[in-house]
Structures are given as C-alpha cells and as structure tokens.
Amino acid sequence: QVQLVESGGGLVQAGGSLRLSCEVSGSIFTINYWGWYRQAPGKQREMVAVRVSGGASNYEDSVKDRFTIGRDNAKNTVYLTMSDLKPEDTAVYYCVAGNPSTCWDWNGYDAWGQGTQVTVSS
C-alpha cells in the first residue's frame, strides 16, 4: 500500500503562487501514475496534473503554462508548483497515486491523500 500526505495549501491572492507537496511512503515501486486532482464545491473532481513514471506529464487545459508537476525521488515527494493563480483554482487538492487505465480515470487510483485546501481571493 501507498500512503500520501499533502501539505502547502492556503489562502493566496489572485496572481500569486503556491507549492503543494505530497510525501509518499509505502510500496512506491508498484506505482506508475502520480499526480494531483482537485474538487471545488458543487463541482466534479478533475485531474489537474499527472505524471507517468518514465513518461510525460499531463495537465488539465486551464492550468497548462501555470502549474508544474515535479517529483524528488530522494525525498519521495511529489510537488505541484502553481503560479498565476486564479479564483477558479479554488478547491481541495488531492495527491493521487496508482495504476489507472488513463490519467483521467480518477476511480483507478489506489491511494488518495487527505486533501489540502487552496483558496484564491480576487
């Protein structure tokens, strides 16, 4: 099993930046997909950024060129660096890990973090 613990959320003004961190522990070598989902009140959860081991990263269209997913293998940590934040980025952000059929298959992720709130004020 894999355990995920997020940190780094908070309140920021529009145009600001935040970096989310996800500390990973457990059977990490079984996992091929790492990433971030988010869910805003009254909306469906959506894929934000997912990285495939040994492959490319995928981003939701609205965050391309603003968000970057990264991973520090030495620290077993996955990051989401967010810049030029907008009020519509306000949501609970979840770190995810697993082997789904595609990065958009949220039901295919085996592990979810507890979530961290990101609030962007206008």
Side-chain angles (χ1 to χ4, degrees):
Q1 284 190 339
V2 174
Q3 293 79 43
L4 308 172
V5 178
E6 302 108 332
S7 61
L11 174 64
V12 63
Q13 287 188 330
S17 300
L18 279 175
R19 188 176 78 162
L20 306 183
S21 300
C22 174
E23 188 172 338
V24 183
S25 61
S27 304
I28 61 175
F29 298 106
T30 65
I31 300 299
N32 292 312
Y33 287 72
W34 306 87
W36 296 88
Y37 269 64
R38 67 185 179 187
Q39 188 165 22
K43 294 187 177 180
Q44 289 188 331
R45 67 188 70 186
E46 63 177 358
M47 189 274 289
V48 177
V50 170
R51 187 166 186 169
V52 183
S53 295
S57 299
N58 294 285
Y59 295 90
E60 198 270 328
D61 286 344
S62 69
V63 308
K64 286 179 181 177
D65 301 324
R66 298 190 297 122
F67 291 11
T68 302
I69 187 171
R71 179 178 171 182
D72 186 330
N73 291 329
K75 296 182 178 180
N76 286 338
T77 302
V78 179
Y79 300 99
L80 183 67
T81 303
M82 306 182 292
S83 60
D84 190 22
L85 283 160
K86 305 176 186 300
E88 51 264 40
D89 294 318
T90 295
V92 177
Y93 284 69
Y94 297 92
C95 182
V96 298
N99 297 299
S101 56
T102 73
C103 60
W104 295 273
D105 177 22
W106 64 267
N107 204 36
Y109 290 92
D110 301 308
W112 289 73
Q114 81 282 5
T116 185
Q117 177 71 46
V118 172
T119 302
V120 184
S121 62
S122 57

